[in-house]
Amino acid sequence: SPRIVVIASGKGGVGKSNIAVNLCINAARAGVRTVLVDADMGLANADVLCGMTVAAHLGHVIDGAATMDEVAFDAPGGFRLVSG
């Protein structure tokens, strides 16, 4: 069954995104199929950390303009990324 890992903090700038991206890279290297959902709707930056420019993001899903499959992109490191 799927596992969900949540990384959260009450303060910005503590490294949540860096930890999340690196956990996904290491999980992918271990053969675990992994999706990172950057749910920060204001200052999402997992795509920037991955050196990506995404065409659609989680906001498009919330608005009904796209599905989760349509906003999940292959990220360097072998995991899928849904940007915030």
Side-chain angles (χ1 to χ4, degrees):
S1 69
R3 293 183 199 171
I4 298 173
V5 176
V6 177
I7 299 170
S9 170
K11 181 179 180 331
V14 297
K16 296 176 297 291
S17 296
N18 282 305
I19 290 171
V21 167
N22 282 292
L23 281 173
C24 287
I25 290 168
N26 283 297
R29 285 182 182 162
V32 179
R33 194 170 64 181
T34 307
V35 178
L36 171 58
V37 178
D38 188 347
D40 186 335
M41 299 303 291
L43 297 171
N45 67 342
D47 56 340
V48 174
L49 291 171
C50 293
M52 299 173 64
T53 302
V54 296
H57 51 75
L58 190 57
H60 293 109
V61 176
I62 293 169
D63 291 342
T67 66
M68 285 294 278
D69 284 336
E70 293 171 332
V71 301
F73 298 96
D74 292 329
F79 63 97
R80 305 272 287 163
L81 172 64
V82 175
S83 184

